[in-house]
Amino acid sequence: MKILMVSSEATPFAKAGGLADAVSALSRALQRAGHDVRILLPRYYCVDRTKLERVTESFSVEWPAGSIQAGLYKSVLPSSKVPVYFIDHEGLFGRDGIYGTKAEPDFADNTERFGLLSRAAFKLCRHLSWFPDILHAHDWPTSLVPVYLRELERGGDFARTASVLTVHNLGYQGAYPAGRFPSTGLPWERFGPAGFERGSTLNLLAAGIHSADFLTTVSPTYAREIQTPALGAGLDGLLRHRSASLVGILNGVDESEWNPESDPHIPRTYGPASLSAKDESKARLQAAMGLPIDPTVPLIGMTTRLSEQKGIGELFGPLHGSAWRICTEMRVQMAILGSGETWCEDELRSLASRLPNFRARIGYDEALAHLITAGSDFFLMPSHYEPCGLAQLYALRYGTLPIVRRTGGLADTVENYDETSGSGTGFMFDQLTPSSVFDTAGWAVWAWYNRPAQVLEMRKRAMSRVFSWDRSAAEYLKLYEMALAAAKKAGAAH
Ligand code: ADP
């Protein structure tokens, strides 16, 4: 099959979260399965143009109001032969930030920026005389791809192309004032019928969900949850309407990046049979964070975007934070890596200055993320909602037991500890409150001190759980077939 991934992120070129890892790993796995997969990304400032091959200087993307002149560059996805194309436009992408910056979290021209990216997908295919079976879009930034396919391109070159939209996180929808609709390049009479209209706003993700031939999200539980008012973020009705074309496919672990048996970021590699070498990562992590080097105290790690979704209010909120209680009422250490909301960054610094057993690193640090995954005993993820969650999959792979809320992909990938049998791969709770986080961390710490043999067995069990991208890719291929059948039916009905 020929598949074009159109995405705002792909590791290692541009990453803000799990989306980047998922797009690259899925592309590699599809290529391993013998398919012709390519990726289109914007050439952000963080992508060094001198390391790319120039395809053409004059790449003009047609818009109703006149075409936009851009450049086209090319590279190859590491550990694969997947071609990665970059659309280059100084005015729209030549600046720091993928979606925005600290000062301007959501750039004022994001509809133009990601509109151009989405429109460029069609131009790229024409330029290459390569017409994919599947146009695979990801989240709100490329939700216009299925819309353009349906609204502008159903005949001609793309008559046999189907669109798939993967929702990696329903919490971000690309919602803007309706007055920005003309920047999509579509005529006003399509605002309602093409699915953009949500109340008085323009909603890019809603239009993508409305238009895509098939929809996926990143875990079976999340696929069900987003069809309920509680977790549907206002789009549950639309998702229920499309439920026959919506499936949840778990993300996997990219072994070329996350494998304790070959990880270059840890002092000594280890596997299930050499778990004692994990202690060296713990000591290195304690040293790196400025914690006392002590193998006899359990270490709870966390690497995360500091956003409300991740439970930071319950953990660090100054009035009811549970991190303070965990560190003052238990013999434990905590090591946090994250960046995001300013109040939380400030609170983490403040906690670190007051607690000898709490350390935080503010920023984005890939190497430290690996060391935290390997060197911690437990990995904390008390998310309000979690579409799939990659960090807990990495933790399981490294024998670091997750402490998680039973939601979304966390519910699908972690098995709760049972003290009587010793079964399980982590520690789970249902309601997200400061005291449930505290209690469940306390349960894990209790097991660490009082049931060390069970904890060791849990680590080995966690490492043996396989979350393979090859298996996920096989599921994507099945639904690509379904999307093609749906597109064919829609074409015949036209
Ligand atoms: P989300 O996509 O919601 O951010 P995931 O768990 O799916 O959550 O993926 C997060 C990814 O980003 C993981 O690979 C995690 O290690 C990484 N990550 C998050 N914050 C940081 C950070 N500050 N430094 C390094 N890696 C980070």
Side-chain angles (χ1 to χ4, degrees):
M1 255 192 216
K2 296 207 279 281
I3 303 137
L4 179 64
M5 300 282 173
V6 192
S7 179
S8 53
E9 299 180 34
T11 309
F13 302 106
K15 174 169 170 173
L19 164 66
D21 291 355
V23 167
S24 294
L26 174 60
S27 300
R28 285 190 191 104
L30 289 167
Q31 186 172 71
R32 275 198 299 277
H35 300 280
D36 179 358
V37 50
R38 308 181 187 194
I39 301 175
L40 174 63
L41 294 175
R43 206 289 296 181
Y44 303 106
Y45 248 21
C46 61
V47 181
D48 182 354
R49 201 159 39 189
T50 62
K51 299 214 171 91
L52 307 177
E53 177 193 330
R54 180 190 293 165
V55 181
T56 171
E57 265 297 89
S58 65
F59 183 72
S60 75
V61 181
E62 302 84 14
W63 290 88
S67 52
I68 293 184
Q69 289 303 321
L72 186 66
Y73 287 79
K74 189 181 172 188
S75 184
V76 175
L77 185 67
S79 311
S80 81
K81 294 197 171 75
V82 174
V84 184
Y85 294 94
F86 296 87
I87 175 158
D88 188 41
H89 188 282
E90 193 56 31
L92 291 172
F93 299 119
R95 62 182 90 153
D96 288 329
I98 295 178
Y99 308 108
T101 57
K102 203 126 208 156
E104 186 186 5
D106 191 5
F107 288 133
D109 55 357
N110 269 346
T111 46
E112 285 90 343
R113 296 171 78 236
F114 294 112
L116 175 66
L117 171 66
S118 303
R119 200 73 200 99
F122 299 89
K123 173 69 190 210
L124 172 70
C125 299
R126 291 201 171 91
H127 183 86
L128 301 173
S129 295
W130 177 86
F131 295 98
D133 299 292
I134 300 291
L135 276 165
H136 193 156
H138 299 269
D139 278 349
W140 71 266
T142 52
S143 279
L144 283 167
V145 170
V147 181
Y148 291 145
L149 178 63
R150 192 165 178 181
E151 295 286 320
L152 306 174
E153 305 276 3
R154 246 327 175 213
D157 296 333
F158 294 89
R160 277 186 296 278
T161 298
S163 63
V164 172
L165 172 65
T166 296
V167 178
H168 296 261
N169 191 334
L170 195 68
Y172 302 86
Q173 301 184 355
Y176 297 102
R180 280 167 63 180
F181 180 66
S183 63
T184 63
L186 294 169
W188 266 113
E189 60 265 26
R190 299 307 298 158
F191 182 57
F196 289 98
E197 188 175 5
R198 304 300 294 180
S200 58
T201 60
L202 157 72
N203 188 309
L204 296 177
L205 186 65
I209 292 171
H210 175 87
S211 296
D213 292 306
F214 221 93
L215 301 165
T216 79
T217 187
V218 286
S219 70
T221 295
Y222 193 60
R224 285 191 298 277
E225 287 173 343
I226 58 177
Q227 297 180 54
T228 65
L231 287 175
L235 299 185
D236 48 295
L238 175 62
L239 288 159
R240 281 195 300 279
H241 179 68
R242 297 234 47 204
S243 67
S245 310
L246 166 64
V247 296
I249 300 176
L250 274 177
N251 289 333
V253 174
D254 189 338
E255 293 274 329
S256 69
E257 300 275 338
W258 293 92
N259 182 348
E261 297 180 57
S262 58
D263 192 327
H265 301 294
I266 62 178
R268 212 166 116 205
T269 56
Y270 62 91
S274 50
L275 255 171
S276 56
K278 185 172 159 56
D279 289 349
E280 290 188 32
S281 286
K282 181 169 174 176
R284 176 75 63 90
L285 175 60
Q286 288 169 324
M289 297 296 286
L291 287 163
I293 297 175
D294 184 352
T296 70
V297 61
L299 174 49
I300 300 176
M302 191 173 181
T303 302
T304 187
R305 289 183 294 116
L306 299 173
S307 83
E308 282 300 330
Q309 177 201 339
K310 302 295 184 179
I312 57 170
E314 287 74 6
L315 259 179
F316 306 117
L319 288 180
H320 53 222
S322 47
W324 172 267
R325 280 190 66 203
I326 291 171
C327 287
T328 50
E329 296 180 31
M330 298 177 205
R331 188 170 172 266
V332 72
Q333 294 178 337
M334 283 185 90
I336 317 285
L337 165 64
S339 63
E341 295 207 15
T342 307
W343 75 261
C344 189
E345 295 185 352
D346 292 344
E347 181 63 18
L348 291 179
R349 289 191 193 95
S350 161
L351 285 171
S353 72
R354 289 178 289 148
L355 293 165
N357 54 345
F358 180 97
R359 289 291 175 267
R361 184 79 61 82
I362 307 301
Y364 191 90
D365 186 334
E366 194 73 34
L368 185 58
H370 282 251
L371 192 58
I372 288 180
T373 307
S376 303
D377 294 299
F378 303 105
F379 194 92
L380 185 56
M381 258 174 110
S383 306
H384 280 267
Y385 69 93
E386 195 58 71
C388 174
L390 287 170
Q392 90 282 7
L393 296 184
Y394 303 153
L396 289 167
R397 183 75 187 84
Y398 283 67
T400 301
L401 304 178
I403 301 171
V404 301
R405 173 152 187 251
R406 193 183 279 101
T407 184
L410 300 172
D412 291 336
T413 57
V414 179
E415 300 147 53
N416 201 15
Y417 172 52
D418 179 323
E419 294 166 32
T420 20
S421 65
S423 66
T425 57
F427 301 83
M428 306 176 84
F429 58 95
D430 286 298
Q431 298 305 321
L432 177 52
T433 62
S435 55
S436 61
V437 179
F438 173 81
D439 290 344
T440 313
W443 188 30
V445 167
W446 173 87
W448 198 86
Y449 284 116
N450 298 291
R451 298 283 186 274
Q454 286 186 342
V455 168
L456 181 63
E457 283 312 305
M458 284 173 84
R459 289 196 197 294
K460 292 183 187 160
R461 190 176 303 124
M463 296 177 85
S464 75
R465 293 293 181 263
V466 179
F467 297 99
S468 123
W469 271 110
D470 292 324
R471 192 170 58 187
S472 309
E475 287 189 53
Y476 276 101
L477 284 163
K478 265 192 255 160
L479 82 88
Y480 287 163
E481 298 286 357
M482 285 152 83
L484 281 170
K488 204 166 163 187
K489 213 164 116 195
H494 254 0

